[in-house]
mmCIF file of all heavy atoms in Angstrom:
data_model
loop_
_atom_site.group_PDB
_atom_site.id
_atom_site.type_symbol
_atom_site.label_atom_id
_atom_site.label_comp_id
_atom_site.label_asym_id
_atom_site.label_seq_id
_atom_site.Cartn_x
_atom_site.Cartn_y
_atom_site.Cartn_z
ATOM 1 N N ARG B 9 0.818 -11.535 -16.184
ATOM 2 C CA ARG B 9 0.877 -11.350 -14.730
ATOM 3 C C ARG B 9 1.649 -12.479 -14.074
ATOM 4 O O ARG B 9 2.486 -12.252 -13.211
ATOM 5 C CB ARG B 9 -0.547 -11.356 -14.150
ATOM 6 C CG ARG B 9 -1.127 -9.999 -13.888
ATOM 7 C CD ARG B 9 -1.077 -9.628 -12.435
ATOM 8 N NE ARG B 9 -2.022 -10.387 -11.658
ATOM 9 C CZ ARG B 9 -3.121 -9.866 -11.140
ATOM 10 N NH1 ARG B 9 -3.378 -8.598 -11.283
ATOM 11 N NH2 ARG B 9 -3.962 -10.610 -10.471
ATOM 12 N N GLU B 78 35.168 -22.111 -16.203
ATOM 13 C CA GLU B 78 36.513 -21.613 -15.895
ATOM 14 C C GLU B 78 37.225 -21.054 -17.111
ATOM 15 O O GLU B 78 38.441 -21.092 -17.209
ATOM 16 C CB GLU B 78 37.354 -22.725 -15.232
ATOM 17 C CG GLU B 78 36.754 -23.087 -13.867
ATOM 18 C CD GLU B 78 37.464 -24.254 -13.221
ATOM 19 O OE1 GLU B 78 38.384 -24.807 -13.843
ATOM 20 O OE2 GLU B 78 37.094 -24.597 -12.100
ATOM 21 N N GLN B 139 21.372 -31.342 -27.886
ATOM 22 C CA GLN B 139 21.042 -32.599 -28.516
ATOM 23 C C GLN B 139 19.659 -32.514 -29.103
ATOM 24 O O GLN B 139 18.744 -31.988 -28.491
ATOM 25 C CB GLN B 139 21.082 -33.704 -27.456
ATOM 26 C CG GLN B 139 21.813 -34.916 -27.935
ATOM 27 C CD GLN B 139 21.471 -36.113 -27.111
ATOM 28 O OE1 GLN B 139 20.384 -36.212 -26.595
ATOM 29 N NE2 GLN B 139 22.406 -37.029 -27.004
ATOM 30 N N ASP B 178 2.406 -15.703 -31.462
ATOM 31 C CA ASP B 178 1.324 -15.350 -30.560
ATOM 32 C C ASP B 178 0.400 -16.521 -30.310
ATOM 33 O O ASP B 178 -0.057 -16.741 -29.198
ATOM 34 C CB ASP B 178 0.485 -14.207 -31.155
ATOM 35 C CG ASP B 178 1.303 -12.943 -31.288
ATOM 36 O OD1 ASP B 178 2.197 -12.758 -30.454
ATOM 37 O OD2 ASP B 178 1.043 -12.183 -32.215
ATOM 38 N N HIS B 188 1.263 -25.046 -19.689
ATOM 39 C CA HIS B 188 1.835 -24.681 -18.391
ATOM 40 C C HIS B 188 0.851 -24.981 -17.283
ATOM 41 O O HIS B 188 1.228 -25.332 -16.163
ATOM 42 C CB HIS B 188 2.161 -23.178 -18.344
ATOM 43 C CG HIS B 188 3.534 -22.855 -18.864
ATOM 44 N ND1 HIS B 188 4.676 -23.331 -18.279
ATOM 45 C CD2 HIS B 188 3.927 -22.109 -19.900
ATOM 46 C CE1 HIS B 188 5.726 -22.880 -18.953
ATOM 47 N NE2 HIS B 188 5.302 -22.136 -19.935
ATOM 48 N N GLU B 332 20.948 -6.260 1.212
ATOM 49 C CA GLU B 332 22.246 -6.841 0.886
ATOM 50 C C GLU B 332 22.862 -6.143 -0.316
ATOM 51 O O GLU B 332 24.021 -5.751 -0.319
ATOM 52 C CB GLU B 332 22.091 -8.340 0.591
ATOM 53 C CG GLU B 332 21.864 -9.164 1.837
ATOM 54 C CD GLU B 332 21.761 -10.641 1.527
ATOM 55 O OE1 GLU B 332 21.437 -10.994 0.379
ATOM 56 O OE2 GLU B 332 22.008 -11.433 2.447
ATOM 57 N N ARG B 359 1.573 -7.537 5.506
ATOM 58 C CA ARG B 359 2.180 -7.248 4.223
ATOM 59 C C ARG B 359 2.267 -5.754 3.942
ATOM 60 O O ARG B 359 3.259 -5.268 3.408
ATOM 61 C CB ARG B 359 1.335 -7.978 3.189
ATOM 62 C CG ARG B 359 1.361 -7.393 1.883
ATOM 63 C CD ARG B 359 0.342 -8.044 1.005
ATOM 64 N NE ARG B 359 0.965 -8.155 -0.271
ATOM 65 C CZ ARG B 359 1.508 -9.257 -0.743
ATOM 66 N NH1 ARG B 359 1.395 -10.356 -0.054
ATOM 67 N NH2 ARG B 359 2.134 -9.258 -1.864
ATOM 68 N N ALA B 388 41.127 1.972 11.917
ATOM 69 C CA ALA B 388 42.426 1.419 12.311
ATOM 70 C C ALA B 388 42.961 2.210 13.499
ATOM 71 O O ALA B 388 43.449 1.641 14.473
ATOM 72 C CB ALA B 388 43.395 1.488 11.130
ATOM 73 N N GLY B 448 17.606 12.281 20.315
ATOM 74 C CA GLY B 448 16.285 12.331 19.694
ATOM 75 C C GLY B 448 16.142 13.483 18.724
ATOM 76 O O GLY B 448 15.324 13.445 17.804
ATOM 77 N N ALA B 458 25.649 16.713 8.984
ATOM 78 C CA ALA B 458 26.587 16.396 7.907
ATOM 79 C C ALA B 458 27.264 17.677 7.462
ATOM 80 O O ALA B 458 26.612 18.659 7.149
ATOM 81 C CB ALA B 458 25.853 15.761 6.739
ATOM 82 N N LEU B 550 1.719 18.524 35.872
ATOM 83 C CA LEU B 550 1.721 17.081 36.034
ATOM 84 C C LEU B 550 3.038 16.683 36.670
ATOM 85 O O LEU B 550 4.063 16.656 35.999
ATOM 86 C CB LEU B 550 1.557 16.415 34.663
ATOM 87 C CG LEU B 550 1.445 14.896 34.651
ATOM 88 C CD1 LEU B 550 0.150 14.468 35.316
ATOM 89 C CD2 LEU B 550 1.485 14.385 33.220
ATOM 90 N N LEU B 608 -10.800 7.279 6.145
ATOM 91 C CA LEU B 608 -11.716 8.403 6.034
ATOM 92 C C LEU B 608 -11.299 9.179 4.800
ATOM 93 O O LEU B 608 -11.001 10.366 4.852
ATOM 94 C CB LEU B 608 -11.568 9.253 7.301
ATOM 95 C CG LEU B 608 -12.645 10.281 7.621
ATOM 96 C CD1 LEU B 608 -13.997 9.631 7.694
ATOM 97 C CD2 LEU B 608 -12.310 10.951 8.931
#
Side-chain angles (χ1 to χ4, degrees):
Chain B
R9 261 258 288 252
E78 295 175 358
Q139 226 199 30
D178 296 329
H188 272 298
E332 286 182 337
R359 154 189 219 101
L550 184 67
L608 196 56

